[in-house]
Structures are given as structure tokens and as C-alpha cells.
Amino acid sequence: MSEIKNKDKTTRRDFLTTVTATVGAVGVGAAVLPVISQMNPDSSVKALASIEVDLSKVKEGQEITVLWRGKPVFIKRRTKEEIQKAQQTNLKDLKDPQEDKLRVKKGKDEWLVVVGVCTHLGCVPIGGKGDYNGWFCPCHGSHYDTSGRIRKGPAPTNLEVPQYEFVSNDKIKIG
Amino acid sequence: MNDQTSKTSKEHFEPVHTNKVGGSPFTGVTGWIDNRLPIIRMFRHEYLDFQVPKSLSYFWSFGGILTICLVLLIVTGISLGMHYKPDANQAFDSVEKIMRDVNFGWLIRYAHMNLASFFFIAVYLHIFRGLYYGSYKEPRELMWLLGIVIFFLMMATAFLGYTLPWGQMSYWGATVITNLFSAVPLVGDFIVTWLWGDYAVGDAALNRFYVLHWLIAFLIVGVVVFHVIALHIVGSNNPSGIEPKDTRDTVSFSPFTTSKDLLAMLVFLLIFVAVMMYAPNYLGHPDNYIPANPMVTPAHIVPEWYFLPFYAILRSIPDKLMGVIAMVSSIAVLGLLPWLDFSKVRSSVFRPIWKQCIFLFVLDFFVLMYIGGAPAEGIYLVIARIGTAFCFAFFFILAPLVSIIEKPLPMPTSIHEFEEWKKQGKIKTIKLFNK
Ligand code: FES
């Protein structure tokens, strides 16, 4: 008789333990989430996410830098040779193989738009420097070519091409 | 219910004392307090009657020196916090205001800045002492591990503190170091954005770095308390590496060790004051007096001197993820040393081969420190790779290998005999300005 009673008691206790633990876990989860999430970019930061840039004053061979989302963006009007060099590169020579035409807008080969942040540890590379005449990062020696692709050094990937579009012939919208 | 009471009534009841008031050796007000909060007898027991090996050299003073540095860092830090503004537009100017307008602001800031460097100097000597005399060996492994935790926390808080003046080096140092997390596979970029609270290092990051700089400083205090509690359980190691056996081997902590430590602190602080007063920026970088500019990276970004060896390891490896792993593990591997080095002899005084290995390790540390400040190319890169390889070989190859092949020198059986041998010139120890 007492055995049956004990068994009953255990099942009931088990049930209560499970329920309490579940409610507790949900509560802890609900309390932790806001604390973690508050550290992510807030609404005002996200609202500033796009800018427009006028390109009419940029001459061939020239490069301008604009600030977007707190990061520099390089906009380079490439020369004929630079485009040619970028297009004729053998994909086998690349650490992060990508064709040049995938990195520019169709029919706008002239314009290369990349985020000016080294994919290694985030320094700003210097334009027109390095072994491949694209960019050179002084921090730990990464060399990028005229398409912003990584050629030599510790950076793992090519300079990032941000989301952008031509809103008119000489105006782009980044973001 | 009835069952239970009838059963237990036949049993014997153990007395319970939830009230432990009493037992103090003191009387009067001291006794009244000590009976209720036994910290006074604990203090007497652990700091006045406490016995320490009599052979301790000045190398054993760095624990006390570090405690003083930590207290001074907190006092100066609180003072600076009363004037500093963690805002990307105001931080740089508020630091300049501290330097020019705040009463003694220049002194307090220079003290805080240079104390950080001197804290690392003392910690490196403290770690060297532990390595050389085998203080990491049984039964002090846990204390050693707690020490490594403190070292990691120190590096974190030093880095965070360095970002606060919001100069060029602050900004780009923060960028490079936080980007180390982007090496984490898959979620790396999310982690970095989360750390920044933005898409680049900026106002949000600065504000939280300030909060974390405080938080970690006090976490260090907490872990230091554990480190010291562990020390009072396992006892101090000593240059002979032999445990004390009877009263011929020990002296009381006070006044013997305390007076010795006070003298060491005085000398250390004098050197610190000399540097702070005559070359306050010698250990810093001039570029940090240029306000942060997210558009331009300085041509040579270098971390603070105390991070250079690890920075050299990071740069010596051409792969991002592997570089980060190598850098972190070059420190974490210290935690494995109690198990990688299984020689029964603690002190290097009696370990002819291991002693050479440790000196090579120290040399490697300085070589990497030099390389960390040099450009990452050509011959420097080659040396950096050799240095990194040696660092890991020291732990994973030399430590176990030497434990097996080395034949230790003849050893005295006790600390007082060790002292006799020293007087007779039979053994050589490192002398740090005593005797
Ligand atoms: S950040 Fe550019 S090479 Fe390291």
C-alpha cells in the first residue's frame, strides 16, 4: 500500500519539478534576451543606413572616400589599363576567386565601389599602393588589386562590395 | 505522518549549532566584534602568525607590489572617472581637460597611465619567478591557473582603458582587437557588430568599453582575492623549491616578510615615480594625441609595449583564424605547464637543462617584443615565425622532454640546509639586490 503511495508521490513531484524548471527556463531566457539584445545596433544607427553620392566631379583615375555607416567607402573611377588588368587576371592566382565583372555594375566597369575596410582586422588600406597597384593595408601588409581583391597578405577575403545602385548616370545610392 | 514520528522518536538527535558566536582570543570591543565577525583573528592568523619559508628572495615581493599597484590604479581610476566623458565627441577633449584644467589632473592621469605599464612589468617578473622556481607545480596548480585568469583580465582591461582617450591609436587599436572576433567561423561578423553596437567602432562602442573597463577592474580584485586565499592554503614556494619542515625553515610573515616587501614596494614605486615625472609618455605612442579619425589609419599601428610579443605571434601567421588562435593559446598554454612539466624538482636551481630553457624562453619573449613593434615583412617575419615556433616548442616539446631526460643536481633535504649550502657557495641563486 505504502509503495503505491510513494510511486504516486514521485510522479507528482516529477511533474511539478518539470513544470517549475520549464517556467524558470523561459523566465531566465526572457530576462537574458533584452540584456544581450540591447548591445546590438539601435534603431537610430540602423536608420542612417543609406547615403547618396554625386560622382560627376570624379575624374578618371581618381578615387574618393565617403563615410557610410561609420566606415570609409572607396569609390574609384578606374582607368582603361586598370580595368583591363582587373579583367584579365587569372582566377587561379586569386585567394578569394571572383571575376571583376561580378564586382562592378553592368556597363559601369569604370566605377569600383568597395568598403574601405581591410578584411583582415579592419584597418583602412591606402589607395594606389602595394604590389598590385590597388590598395595596401599598412597594418599587417595586405595587398589588394585594382578590383579590390586580396592578392597577398593575411586578409582572407576581397574588399567587400557594399549594396549600391546607380540612381542616375552620375549618382549612386549606397545601402 | 504517524509512521514517521513514531520511528524517529526512538532515534538519537544530533545537536545543531546555527549560532557560532564566540571563540575569539581577543577581549573588549575587539573581542566583541571578532566573536561576531571573525576577520580580526583571521587577519592575525594569516598575516601576523603566518609562517613563510625563510629563504624567500625579493622575487617574492612582486605579489605585494602588484597589490599596491592595483589599489593605486583603482584610486586614480575613480578620480579620472569623475571627469572623463565616454562620448565619441567629448572623450578626447575631456582627457585634455583633465590634463590642463582639472586640479592635479595631469598627475592623476599620468599616474594611471604609467601604473598600467608598471603593473605589467611587475606581472611579468612575477610570472618569471613562478616559471623559474616551479611555483606552478603541485600543489599550487590552481593558484597558477587563477593567476592566468588574472593575466587575461588584465590584458582585457588594459586594452579597454587604452581605447578611452579616443586618439588615433585608441581608435585603431580598438578596431583591430575587436575585429579579432570576426575570425570566429560563421558567427564572427554578428559577434563584432554586437560588440560595437554599430557597423564600426564608434560612440556606442566607446560607451560600453568604459563600463567594461570598470567592471573588469573589479573582477580582477575578485580573482586576486581567490589567488591570495589559495596562496594561504598552499603556502609560498621558495627559491629551494623544498617545503618547510620545522621552525628552522621559516620566519613569521610579520615583521620579516612585511618589512622586506615594504622596502621592495618603496624601490619599485620610486622607479615608477621617476618614469612618471620625467618621461610620462615614454611608454605610450605620440599618435594617441591625435583625435580618432575613422577615415585614416596611422601608418604604423602598434599596441602598447606589453602586448607586443603576442602581437608578433598574431602577425607571424599568414592566416587570420590561425593567427588569432595562436595568439590566445600562447598565453593559455601557460595553464597546461603544471602538467607538461612533470619533473619532481621544482626549483630551476637544481635543474641545469630546464634553467637554460627558461632563459631561452625569456630571450624569445624579448625578441618577439621587438618584432611586434617592427614592420611585418622580410627578415622580421622570418624571426617572428622562429620565435613563435620556439614559444610553442618550449611548452609542448621542451617541458615534457626535459622532465624525462634531465638529471637534477644533488639537493639539500631542507630549507635551512639550502641556506647553508648557499653560504658555502655550493649553489647559485639569482640575486635581486640582496646580500
Ligand atoms: S588589418 Fe589590414 S592587414 Fe591586418
Side-chain angles (χ1 to χ4, degrees), chain B residues 210-233:
Chain B
Y210 184 51
V211 173
L212 295 175
H213 180 62
W214 281 87
L215 172 72
I216 297 177
F218 288 102
L219 282 182
I220 291 177
V221 175
V223 186
V224 165
V225 169
F226 287 157
H227 193 66
V228 172
I229 292 176
L231 168 69
H232 281 257
I233 299 294

CSV table of all heavy atoms in Angstrom, one decimal, chain B residues 210-233:
chain,number,residue,atom,x,y,z
B,210,TYR,N,33.9,51.8,-21.7
B,210,TYR,CA,34.1,52.5,-20.5
B,210,TYR,C,33.5,51.7,-19.3
B,210,TYR,O,34.2,51.5,-18.3
B,210,TYR,CB,33.5,53.9,-20.5
B,210,TYR,CG,33.7,54.7,-19.3
B,210,TYR,CD1,34.9,54.9,-18.8
B,210,TYR,CD2,32.6,55.4,-18.7
B,210,TYR,CE1,35.1,55.7,-17.7
B,210,TYR,CE2,32.8,56.2,-17.6
B,210,TYR,CZ,34.0,56.4,-17.1
B,210,TYR,OH,34.2,57.2,-16.0
B,211,VAL,N,32.3,51.2,-19.5
B,211,VAL,CA,31.6,50.4,-18.5
B,211,VAL,C,32.4,49.1,-18.2
B,211,VAL,O,32.7,48.8,-17.1
B,211,VAL,CB,30.2,50.1,-18.9
B,211,VAL,CG1,29.5,49.1,-17.9
B,211,VAL,CG2,29.4,51.4,-19.0
B,212,LEU,N,32.8,48.5,-19.3
B,212,LEU,CA,33.5,47.2,-19.1
B,212,LEU,C,34.9,47.4,-18.5
B,212,LEU,O,35.4,46.5,-17.7
B,212,LEU,CB,33.7,46.5,-20.5
B,212,LEU,CG,32.3,46.0,-21.1
B,212,LEU,CD1,32.5,45.5,-22.4
B,212,LEU,CD2,31.6,45.0,-20.2
B,213,HIS,N,35.5,48.5,-18.8
B,213,HIS,CA,36.8,48.8,-18.2
B,213,HIS,C,36.7,48.8,-16.6
B,213,HIS,O,37.6,48.3,-15.9
B,213,HIS,CB,37.3,50.2,-18.7
B,213,HIS,CG,38.7,50.6,-18.1
B,213,HIS,ND1,39.8,49.9,-18.4
B,213,HIS,CD2,39.0,51.7,-17.4
B,213,HIS,CE1,40.8,50.5,-17.7
B,213,HIS,NE2,40.4,51.6,-17.1
B,214,TRP,N,35.6,49.4,-16.2
B,214,TRP,CA,35.4,49.4,-14.7
B,214,TRP,C,35.1,48.0,-14.2
B,214,TRP,O,35.6,47.5,-13.2
B,214,TRP,CB,34.2,50.3,-14.4
B,214,TRP,CG,34.5,51.7,-14.4
B,214,TRP,CD1,34.4,52.6,-15.4
B,214,TRP,CD2,34.8,52.5,-13.2
B,214,TRP,NE1,34.8,53.9,-15.0
B,214,TRP,CE2,35.0,53.8,-13.7
B,214,TRP,CE3,35.0,52.2,-11.9
B,214,TRP,CZ2,35.3,54.9,-12.8
B,214,TRP,CZ3,35.3,53.3,-11.0
B,214,TRP,CH2,35.5,54.6,-11.5
B,215,LEU,N,34.1,47.4,-14.9
B,215,LEU,CA,33.7,46.0,-14.5
B,215,LEU,C,34.9,45.1,-14.3
B,215,LEU,O,35.0,44.4,-13.3
B,215,LEU,CB,32.7,45.5,-15.5
B,215,LEU,CG,32.3,44.0,-15.2
B,215,LEU,CD1,31.4,43.9,-14.0
B,215,LEU,CD2,31.6,43.4,-16.4
B,216,ILE,N,35.7,45.0,-15.4
B,216,ILE,CA,36.8,44.1,-15.3
B,216,ILE,C,37.8,44.4,-14.3
B,216,ILE,O,38.4,43.5,-13.6
B,216,ILE,CB,37.4,43.9,-16.7
B,216,ILE,CG1,36.4,43.4,-17.7
B,216,ILE,CG2,38.6,43.0,-16.7
B,216,ILE,CD1,36.8,43.3,-19.1
B,217,ALA,N,38.0,45.7,-14.0
B,217,ALA,CA,38.9,46.1,-13.0
B,217,ALA,C,38.5,45.5,-11.6
B,217,ALA,O,39.3,45.0,-10.9
B,217,ALA,CB,39.0,47.6,-12.8
B,218,PHE,N,37.2,45.5,-11.4
B,218,PHE,CA,36.8,44.9,-10.1
B,218,PHE,C,36.7,43.4,-10.1
B,218,PHE,O,36.9,42.8,-9.1
B,218,PHE,CB,35.4,45.6,-9.7
B,218,PHE,CG,35.6,47.0,-9.2
B,218,PHE,CD1,35.3,48.1,-10.1
B,218,PHE,CD2,36.2,47.2,-8.0
B,218,PHE,CE1,35.6,49.4,-9.7
B,218,PHE,CE2,36.5,48.5,-7.6
B,218,PHE,CZ,36.1,49.6,-8.4
B,219,LEU,N,36.5,42.8,-11.3
B,219,LEU,CA,36.6,41.4,-11.4
B,219,LEU,C,38.0,40.9,-11.1
B,219,LEU,O,38.2,39.9,-10.4
B,219,LEU,CB,36.3,40.9,-12.9
B,219,LEU,CG,34.9,40.8,-13.3
B,219,LEU,CD1,34.8,40.3,-14.7
B,219,LEU,CD2,34.1,39.9,-12.4
B,220,ILE,N,39.0,41.7,-11.5
B,220,ILE,CA,40.4,41.4,-11.1
B,220,ILE,C,40.5,41.4,-9.6
B,220,ILE,O,41.1,40.4,-9.1
B,220,ILE,CB,41.4,42.4,-11.7
B,220,ILE,CG1,41.4,42.2,-13.3
B,220,ILE,CG2,42.8,42.2,-11.2
B,220,ILE,CD1,42.3,43.2,-14.0
B,221,VAL,N,40.0,42.4,-8.9
B,221,VAL,CA,40.1,42.4,-7.5
B,221,VAL,C,39.5,41.0,-6.9
B,221,VAL,O,40.1,40.4,-6.1
B,221,VAL,CB,39.3,43.6,-6.9
B,221,VAL,CG1,39.3,43.5,-5.4
B,221,VAL,CG2,39.9,44.9,-7.4
B,222,GLY,N,38.3,40.6,-7.5
B,222,GLY,CA,37.7,39.4,-7.0
B,222,GLY,C,38.6,38.2,-7.2
B,222,GLY,O,38.8,37.4,-6.3
B,223,VAL,N,39.2,38.0,-8.4
B,223,VAL,CA,40.0,36.9,-8.7
B,223,VAL,C,41.3,36.9,-7.8
B,223,VAL,O,41.9,35.9,-7.4
B,223,VAL,CB,40.3,36.7,-10.2
B,223,VAL,CG1,41.1,35.4,-10.4
B,223,VAL,CG2,39.1,36.7,-11.0
B,224,VAL,N,41.8,38.2,-7.6
B,224,VAL,CA,43.0,38.3,-6.8
B,224,VAL,C,42.7,37.8,-5.4
B,224,VAL,O,43.6,37.1,-4.8
B,224,VAL,CB,43.5,39.8,-6.7
B,224,VAL,CG1,44.5,40.0,-5.6
B,224,VAL,CG2,44.1,40.2,-8.1
B,225,VAL,N,41.5,38.0,-4.9
B,225,VAL,CA,41.2,37.5,-3.5
B,225,VAL,C,41.3,36.0,-3.5
B,225,VAL,O,41.9,35.4,-2.6
B,225,VAL,CB,39.8,38.0,-3.1
B,225,VAL,CG1,39.3,37.2,-1.9
B,225,VAL,CG2,39.8,39.5,-2.8
B,226,PHE,N,40.7,35.3,-4.6
B,226,PHE,CA,40.9,33.9,-4.7
B,226,PHE,C,42.3,33.4,-4.7
B,226,PHE,O,42.7,32.5,-4.1
B,226,PHE,CB,40.1,33.3,-5.9
B,226,PHE,CG,38.6,33.4,-5.8
B,226,PHE,CD1,37.8,33.4,-6.9
B,226,PHE,CD2,38.0,33.4,-4.5
B,226,PHE,CE1,36.4,33.4,-6.8
B,226,PHE,CE2,36.7,33.4,-4.4
B,226,PHE,CZ,35.9,33.4,-5.5
B,227,HIS,N,43.1,34.1,-5.5
B,227,HIS,CA,44.5,33.9,-5.7
B,227,HIS,C,45.2,33.9,-4.4
B,227,HIS,O,46.0,33.0,-4.0
B,227,HIS,CB,45.1,34.9,-6.6
B,227,HIS,CG,46.5,34.7,-7.2
B,227,HIS,ND1,46.7,33.7,-8.1
B,227,HIS,CD2,47.6,35.3,-7.0
B,227,HIS,CE1,48.0,33.7,-8.4
B,227,HIS,NE2,48.6,34.7,-7.8
B,228,VAL,N,44.9,34.9,-3.5
B,228,VAL,CA,45.5,35.0,-2.2
B,228,VAL,C,45.0,34.0,-1.2
B,228,VAL,O,45.8,33.4,-0.5
B,228,VAL,CB,45.3,36.5,-1.7
B,228,VAL,CG1,45.8,36.6,-0.3
B,228,VAL,CG2,46.1,37.5,-2.6
B,229,ILE,N,43.7,33.7,-1.3
B,229,ILE,CA,43.2,32.6,-0.4
B,229,ILE,C,43.9,31.3,-0.7
B,229,ILE,O,44.4,30.6,0.2
B,229,ILE,CB,41.7,32.4,-0.6
B,229,ILE,CG1,40.9,33.7,-0.1
B,229,ILE,CG2,41.2,31.2,0.1
B,229,ILE,CD1,39.4,33.6,-0.3
B,230,ALA,N,44.0,31.0,-2.0
B,230,ALA,CA,44.7,29.8,-2.4
B,230,ALA,C,46.2,29.8,-1.9
B,230,ALA,O,46.7,28.8,-1.4
B,230,ALA,CB,44.7,29.6,-3.9
B,231,LEU,N,46.8,31.0,-2.0
B,231,LEU,CA,48.2,31.1,-1.5
B,231,LEU,C,48.3,30.8,0.0
B,231,LEU,O,49.2,30.1,0.4
B,231,LEU,CB,48.7,32.5,-1.7
B,231,LEU,CG,50.0,32.9,-1.0
B,231,LEU,CD1,51.2,32.1,-1.7
B,231,LEU,CD2,50.3,34.3,-1.1
B,232,HIS,N,47.3,31.2,0.7
B,232,HIS,CA,47.4,31.0,2.2
B,232,HIS,C,47.0,29.5,2.5
B,232,HIS,O,47.3,29.1,3.6
B,232,HIS,CB,46.5,32.0,2.9
B,232,HIS,CG,47.1,33.3,3.1
B,232,HIS,ND1,47.7,33.7,4.2
B,232,HIS,CD2,47.4,34.2,2.1
B,232,HIS,CE1,48.3,34.9,4.0
B,232,HIS,NE2,48.1,35.3,2.8
B,233,ILE,N,46.5,28.8,1.6
B,233,ILE,CA,46.3,27.3,1.8
B,233,ILE,C,47.5,26.6,1.4
B,233,ILE,O,48.0,25.7,2.2
B,233,ILE,CB,45.1,26.8,1.0
B,233,ILE,CG1,43.8,27.6,1.4
B,233,ILE,CG2,44.9,25.3,1.1
B,233,ILE,CD1,43.3,27.3,2.8
